[in-house]
Amino acid sequence: MVQLSNATLSQLPEAVKRPGYDRSKLTPGIVHIGLGNFHRAHQSWYLHRLMEAGLAHDWAILGAGVRAPDAAMRERLLAQDCLTTLIELDPKGQSAEVVGSMIGYIPIEEGNGALIEAMARPEIRIVALTVTEGGYFIDPATKGFDASHPDIVHDAANPESPKTAFGAIVAALKIRRENGTGPFTGQCCDNLQGNGAILRQTVVSLARLSDPELAEWIDANCTFPNAMVDCIVPATGPKELELVRSLGIEDNCPVTHENFRQWVIEDNFCAGRPDWDKAGATFSDDVHSFETMKIRILNGGHQVISDVGEILSVKHISECMEHPKIHALYRKVETEEIMPHVHAVPGMTPESYVDLIEERFSNPMIVDTTRRVAFDGSSRHPGFILPSVRECLAKDMPVEGLALVSAAWARYCTGIREDGTTVEPNDPFWADLQIRALAAKDTPQAWLDNRLIYGDLADEPRFAGPFCTWLSMIHTQGLDAALDAYLG
């Protein structure tokens, strides 16, 4: 067993690819906040690929975090020189490589002083984030900035010792402005439509609360490119740890991923960028069409099946696709209520994309849990499901399937599966959702009255009617009966 580190790269098994470049000569150009599995299988991989080609050696990544759990990840990664083993899981075969594009991890401390100092350094030209869809302080009802959140109130009152990543970004940009260092690009890598615009909204709005002139400077000088990111990356657990050990590697934070990646980026970088297109990324002026296709069909498809799978105690996404009724639910909702509102993009029709996602979801090598995919429904349903509902209603098309999907989410949030097992809290707002879900057992409308999620859809009879019918059926007859009724 080889303990992963710079010193042991030459000792890795021959079948495992390892960096072919001299990591000691890399210099940082990117600070990335949120060093979860997705970043290390996606943006970090693209940069690693460029480095393998002799490019972008001045764009290495400094990892960063602002939450207490990030400290444990920092310790694990620093112990192995910030190297990560990526294991590609494909029915046709398994492969592994060690990625070396990250060269350090900024200390995590109260007030985020070290993070601010790092982002203020002139060689840092991009600050990127993967902090989950629900991490951008968006008001669910208005989609505007939520200035009332306690962390935002703190950062507005204490701009030099912020709690949030965005407060740290504002503080660093203030130093750069004062020192004449200039702006950097803020790069969102989360699954949000218009993710760059959302990041701009959060940063500029927060800055405006404490320093309106700085906010204007940020808005005028920094760039926030929109992007679509895509790769299915399961969480790391005992199975993944055992898998990397079976390869002869002791890696305490390996990452498994599918044999598919896509990154479509708006080419809008105020301080330069790596040539990610030379590693397979796409620069496009029409990111919106790509992200609409992906968010509606892939992310929406995940929500179509994950809550249903959880209720029926189907543990993995690939097993959902093996389940005849869940698979049929996926096909029917996707083709009848989601796909009609998605436009083709270069090289891909909506019909082909639905088939591609079905194939990717069905990959038995990817052990992606329904629980992981069902996490944070309070962000994912408004972001991935309800836009399709609104499109259907605007075109006077039925929403029976999407209403059933929402009803399944409400049933899931009662906290009990149909086999009687308990669902552990799986949403930042789980306590409130569970109260509403239990009330909706007798009065389904109580779920829709969560205006922060549903807004005026709660009063729309073409959606509320089938939703209430489905939820009543699920509670009185069971989810199987509801699926049978919908599938005909």
Side-chain angles (χ1 to χ4, degrees), residues 334-378:
E334 288 275 24
T335 57
E336 295 183 6
E337 299 183 23
I338 296 177
M339 190 180 72
H341 316 298
V342 175
H343 301 295
V345 298
M348 186 68 68
T349 65
E351 294 83 359
S352 298
Y353 195 68
V354 169
D355 292 341
L356 171 65
I357 299 310
E358 180 174 350
E359 179 183 347
R360 292 168 62 191
F361 284 1
S362 300
N363 182 351
M365 302 290 289
I366 296 293
V367 186
D368 202 8
T369 65
T370 49
R371 176 175 172 82
R372 184 195 76 84
V373 174
F375 171 72
D376 197 12
S378 59

Side-chain angles (χ1 to χ4, degrees), residues 185-455:
T185 293
Q187 185 176 34
C188 178
C189 297
D190 279 302
N191 282 315
L192 292 161
Q193 191 144 9
N195 57 8
I198 288 171
L199 177 56
R200 177 188 291 273
Q201 170 181 277
T202 304
V203 171
V204 173
S205 298
L206 176 55
R208 191 169 285 124
L209 295 177
S210 60
D211 191 337
E213 288 188 10
L214 175 62
E216 293 303 316
W217 182 86
I218 294 171
D219 201 24
N221 292 278
C222 293
T223 50
F224 301 86
N226 292 309
M228 183 273 274
V229 295
D230 189 9
C231 184
I232 295 175
V233 184
T236 295
K239 183 180 180 68
E240 289 71 27
L241 291 170
E242 182 56 36
L243 178 59
V244 74
R245 290 182 185 125
S246 73
L247 299 174
I249 305 172
E250 189 68 40
D251 180 342
N252 289 319
C253 37
V255 174
T256 58
H257 61 92
E258 65 173 332
N259 180 22
F260 182 91
R261 284 183 183 83
Q262 190 176 21
W263 196 9
V264 184
I265 316 165
E266 192 175 48
D267 197 358
N268 185 21
F269 291 79
C270 63
R273 59 162 174 79
D275 294 326
W276 283 303
D277 53 321
K278 294 180 180 178
T282 300
F283 287 107
S284 173
D285 294 330
D286 188 21
V287 171
H288 178 74
S289 294
F290 285 91
E291 66 185 1
T292 297
M293 178 178 282
K294 188 257 179 174
I295 285 173
R296 299 284 182 87
I297 294 176
L298 187 152
N299 298 107
H302 261 158
Q303 300 315 300
V304 167
I305 64 177
S306 60
D307 296 323
V308 172
E310 273 280 81
I311 294 168
L312 297 178
S313 300
V314 181
K315 291 187 176 181
H316 301 118
I317 294 299
S318 62
E319 293 170 343
C320 286
M321 301 307 282
E322 294 173 1
H323 189 289
K325 293 180 184 179
I326 301 178
H327 189 174
L329 174 71
Y330 167 85
R331 289 298 306 187
K332 187 174 174 66
V333 175
E334 288 275 24
T335 57
E336 295 183 6
E337 299 183 23
I338 296 177
M339 190 180 72
H341 316 298
V342 175
H343 301 295
V345 298
M348 186 68 68
T349 65
E351 294 83 359
S352 298
Y353 195 68
V354 169
D355 292 341
L356 171 65
I357 299 310
E358 180 174 350
E359 179 183 347
R360 292 168 62 191
F361 284 1
S362 300
N363 182 351
M365 302 290 289
I366 296 293
V367 186
D368 202 8
T369 65
T370 49
R371 176 175 172 82
R372 184 195 76 84
V373 174
F375 171 72
D376 197 12
S378 59
S379 291
R380 296 183 177 186
H381 275 259
F384 305 153
I385 293 295
L386 298 187
S388 293
V389 172
R390 294 183 184 279
E391 291 260 22
C392 285
L393 295 176
K395 297 175 182 176
D396 201 26
M397 294 173 63
V399 292
E400 291 288 328
L402 292 168
L404 174 56
V405 170
S406 283
W409 179 40
R411 168 64 182 82
Y412 175 59
C413 290
T414 63
I416 300 291
R417 299 182 183 88
E418 286 200 341
D419 64 5
T421 58
T422 299
V423 178
E424 296 300 323
N426 204 26
D427 193 287
F429 302 99
W430 185 261
D432 178 66
L433 292 174
Q434 189 169 32
I435 291 170
R436 292 179 183 276
L438 291 172
K441 291 176 68 173
D442 298 319
T443 310
Q445 185 68 32
W447 179 261
L448 295 181
D449 284 340
N450 186 348
R451 302 285 169 157
L452 291 177
I453 300 292
Y454 290 99

Side-chain angles (χ1 to χ4, degrees), residues 31 33 66 112 115-116 119-120 127-129 131 136 155 159 162 164-176 184-187 199 202-204 206-207 214 217-218 222 224:
V31 167
I33 303 171
V66 296
N112 288 301
L115 174 57
I116 293 168
M119 292 189 292
V127 171
L129 303 94
V131 296
Y136 288 83
D155 285 6
T164 72
F166 310 104
I169 289 172
V170 171
L173 287 168
K174 181 178 182 179
I175 294 171
R176 293 175 73 103
F184 54 59
T185 293
Q187 185 176 34
L199 177 56
T202 304
V203 171
V204 173
L206 176 55
L214 175 62
W217 182 86
I218 294 171
C222 293
F224 301 86

Side-chain angles (χ1 to χ4, degrees), residues 12 65 69 108 146 179 182 278 325 341 479 482:
L12 294 177
I108 298 167
D146 181 8
N179 292 348
K278 294 180 180 178
K325 293 180 184 179
H341 316 298
L479 181 55

Side-chain angles (χ1 to χ4, degrees), residues 47-123:
L47 193 57
H48 168 72
R49 275 281 171 263
L50 287 181
M51 292 173 172
E52 289 281 66
L55 304 171
H57 287 191
D58 61 339
W59 284 102
I61 297 167
L62 294 178
V66 296
R67 305 175 306 123
D70 294 329
M73 174 62 78
R74 179 176 183 269
E75 287 185 13
R76 290 197 298 271
L77 281 169
L78 287 178
Q80 55 195 54
D81 297 320
C82 296
L83 294 164
T84 294
T85 307
L86 296 186
I87 305 173
E88 182 181 284
L89 300 176
D90 186 82
K92 298 175 183 177
Q94 173 184 296
S95 62
E97 67 179 314
V98 173
V99 170
S101 54
M102 178 182 169
I103 59 172
Y105 205 129
I106 299 162
I108 298 167
E109 56 190 25
E110 188 174 350
N112 288 301
L115 174 57
I116 293 168
E117 185 276 330
M119 292 189 292
R121 290 160 55 182
E123 63 267 30

